Amino acid sequence: MLYSEKVMDHLRNPRNVGEIEDADGIGEVGNAKCGDIMKMYLKIDAGIITDVKFKTFGCGSAIATSSIATEMIKGKSVVEALELTNKSVVEALDGLPSYKIHCSVLAEEAVKAAVKDYYDKNGISYNPKLFSALETSCCHEEGEC
Ligand code: FES
């Protein structure tokens, strides 16, 4: 089968879809390879991600990776969320076809962009290198790039 059962499960029944109106951090990223877009909303309390929602205008693999990424970071600290990689997301889904790996990058980048937004809004200092990957596939609001 092309997709693992976990991918199919998250595809058919994506978790945490939607938006958070009073989100503490919002990240929007675009996939340089295909132009698809993902938006991630974080609710953060004392550095802990208490709620997370996403919207993806993209393919099924992007939906499945965002869905599982939200499950992986909910209840974690923002520092732990920054450790999420597209590799760990793909592993958690029991793999993706190689030509779909680029779709998983959106999830990692959207989480990072949302945490960066939270840091920026709250005047929290950080090492810019943490977010260097965002600059290469950036589709942020105007003025950010
Ligand atoms: Fe664009 Fe998958 S084809 S994110």
Side-chain angles (χ1 to χ4, degrees), residues 1-140:
M1 192 162 80
L2 188 59
Y3 291 112
S4 73
E5 283 193 14
K6 272 198 191 162
V7 173
M8 294 309 292
D9 176 33
H10 280 270
L11 196 50
R12 291 192 182 116
N13 182 25
R15 285 39 152 201
N16 303 309
V17 174
E19 52 189 280
I20 300 174
E21 277 194 18
D22 56 346
D24 297 301
I26 300 174
E28 183 172 348
V29 294
N31 196 314
K33 285 206 173 178
C34 61
D36 291 345
I37 290 173
M38 183 183 300
K39 204 161 179 180
M40 186 80 68
Y41 302 81
L42 301 178
K43 194 78 196 140
I44 298 164
D45 185 15
I48 302 294
I49 297 168
T50 55
D51 198 10
V52 47
K53 295 254 189 289
F54 79 93
K55 276 183 168 176
T56 294
F57 304 96
C59 72
S61 299
I63 292 168
T65 49
S66 353
S67 169
I68 201 158
T70 61
E71 286 194 324
M72 290 166 80
I73 63 169
K74 199 167 180 176
K76 299 270 170 65
S77 70
V78 287
V79 174
E80 286 171 310
L82 288 177
E83 288 166 6
L84 183 93
T85 63
N86 80 303
K87 194 165 172 271
S88 60
V89 171
V90 171
E91 279 171 10
L93 284 172
D94 293 336
L96 275 176
S98 57
Y99 70 97
K100 283 287 179 188
I101 295 292
H102 75 270
C103 311
S104 64
V105 175
L106 271 183
E108 174 189 337
E109 291 185 345
V111 170
K112 287 198 163 79
V115 171
K116 182 176 182 297
D117 183 48
Y118 163 72
Y119 283 167
D120 288 340
K121 280 181 179 153
N122 289 279
I124 299 169
S125 59
Y126 54 82
N127 181 348
K129 279 191 187 150
L130 279 174
F131 304 103
S132 55
L134 294 175
E135 284 161 24
T136 52
S137 59
C138 178
C139 74
H140 295 153

